[in-house]
Amino acid sequence: MKNLLGQLSSSCYYLHINKTGGSSFSAVIRRSFPEFLVCPAGLAKELIAIPSKKLLTYKYYSGHFGLGLPLMLPLVKRLRLRTFTVLRDPVDRSLSQLNAYFRNKGTYFHDLVSSVECDVEKCLQNERILSALSNYQSKCLAIPVRFDKFSLIQQCGGNFQELLVRASSGFTEDELFGRASRSLQGFCFVGLTEKMEESSERLSRVLGLPSFDVVPRVNVSAVNPYTGLVNSLNRGHVSAAVIRKLEEINRADLRLYDHVVRGW
């Protein structure tokens, strides 16, 4: 594939929301850019380590930055930034996130989740875990996190998720949904995890690219082709009460997800 995206005058930003299939999606998109135009950061701690002048030279950004990345760019570049994201069923995303905490050492809440062997009912009794899981997709799309406060969060052992939880405290579900849905109106594309192949096809048309190849499955909670490790957690593994609890703490996300699905 030719590096067509690298020839665009505007830059692109894939706002990667945790456990929505973003690693798979980005693995395909980034092939369209020359490597020197791809921002190497995928995490907030990596992003803030890049000198500001260097950050401006990239044309493709992808990572767990929420609405914080545009704030680090000059207004002219920010206004021309073509932003897209992928949403996932909120219950499925929450279960996948808990599983990721459990299987990946060094991730946020790994020790807490491992201490109860990823017993979901016990995890949901922890207020910090509840806060991190609740309406996470809406928060990513509603709250413009400022990374100038990130170093303080790191000193406390936190990460972007912790920073987002703090920044979104005090917002009601209606406010989160309203702000998130308005943010999506300015995106050039919103895909769905459950329709990943079709999402790839649609995004290729939006960006004026040839059709993408089959989207590889990377960083998944079932079988990871890079590690061969098997470790899944889905609705079939939890009780109806757990599912109701996850729906309860993700009401804004459910509204947002349903809103996007209806628009498909």
Side-chain angles (χ1 to χ4, degrees):
M1 182 186 295
K2 295 181 180 179
N3 291 317
L4 297 179
L5 280 176
Q7 300 171 17
L8 292 177
S9 57
S10 57
S11 298
C12 295
Y13 171 37
Y14 178 30
L15 192 158
H16 181 183
I17 299 174
N18 305 59
K19 311 316 300 177
T20 58
S23 297
S24 303
F25 209 51
S26 186
V28 174
I29 302 168
R30 67 179 296 143
R31 299 174 192 164
S32 300
F33 288 90
E35 195 63 28
F36 71 94
L37 291 179
V38 176
C39 178
L43 301 174
K45 65 180 180 181
E46 299 165 347
L47 184 69
I48 63 176
I50 299 175
S52 56
K53 289 185 178 180
K54 180 64 175 176
L55 188 64
L56 303 182
T57 65
Y58 301 120
K59 299 188 75 173
Y60 177 58
Y61 306 86
S62 173
H64 302 308
F65 314 135
L67 299 179
L69 171 70
L71 296 179
M72 300 178 69
L73 304 175
L75 181 59
V76 173
K77 185 162 188 172
R78 190 188 315 169
L79 293 175
R80 301 179 69 181
L81 195 64
R82 305 190 73 188
T83 303
F84 44 92
T85 194
V86 173
L87 298 185
R88 183 178 185 179
D89 176 276
V91 172
D92 294 337
R93 196 212 71 83
S94 295
L95 290 171
S96 184
Q97 181 67 83
L98 281 174
N99 191 44
Y101 292 150
F102 182 52
R103 70 186 175 93
N104 297 326
K105 292 183 179 180
T107 54
Y108 196 49
F109 290 141
H110 171 74
D111 291 341
L112 274 175
V113 175
S114 296
S115 69
V116 295
E117 298 183 341
C118 204
D119 183 309
V120 179
E121 289 191 27
K122 292 181 180 178
C123 287
L124 296 182
Q125 293 172 13
N126 184 290
E127 289 300 322
R128 288 186 65 206
I129 293 178
L130 276 179
S131 296
L133 293 179
S134 67
N135 295 314
Y136 184 74
Q137 296 177 97
S138 296
K139 290 173 181 175
C140 282
L141 297 164
I143 310 300
V145 170
R146 302 195 67 90
F147 290 118
D148 54 359
K149 300 179 180 179
F150 188 71
S151 59
L152 179 61
I153 296 296
Q154 280 188 297
Q155 293 172 16
C156 300
N159 63 2
F160 174 76
Q161 294 180 48
E162 177 73 19
L163 188 61
L164 187 62
V165 166
R166 297 190 185 190
S168 59
S169 64
F171 286 90
T172 67
E173 292 175 355
D174 285 342
E175 289 171 334
L176 288 174
F177 169 75
R179 291 169 67 113
S181 58
R182 286 192 294 274
S183 290
L184 290 183
Q185 291 175 8
F187 284 26
C188 68
F189 177 76
V190 182
L192 297 170
T193 302
E194 295 77 11
K195 297 180 180 292
M196 190 60 76
E197 298 295 338
E198 187 177 350
S199 293
S200 297
E201 288 290 333
R202 291 192 181 192
L203 179 60
S204 68
R205 292 196 294 270
V206 168
L207 297 178
L209 293 170
S211 297
F212 294 133
D213 298 330
V214 175
V215 179
R217 287 171 56 81
V218 300
N219 194 30
V220 296
S221 297
V223 179
N224 190 317
Y226 291 158
T227 66
L229 298 178
V230 178
N231 184 29
S232 62
L233 178 63
N234 56 51
R235 289 171 183 256
H237 299 134
V238 298
S239 67
V242 164
I243 292 177
R244 286 195 298 271
K245 181 63 175 179
L246 290 174
E247 290 174 340
E248 177 187 330
I249 67 172
N250 283 293
R251 284 192 287 256
D253 272 12
L254 285 167
R255 288 175 63 189
L256 188 68
Y257 179 77
D258 289 343
H259 174 72
V260 172
V261 169
R262 288 196 301 271
W264 259 66

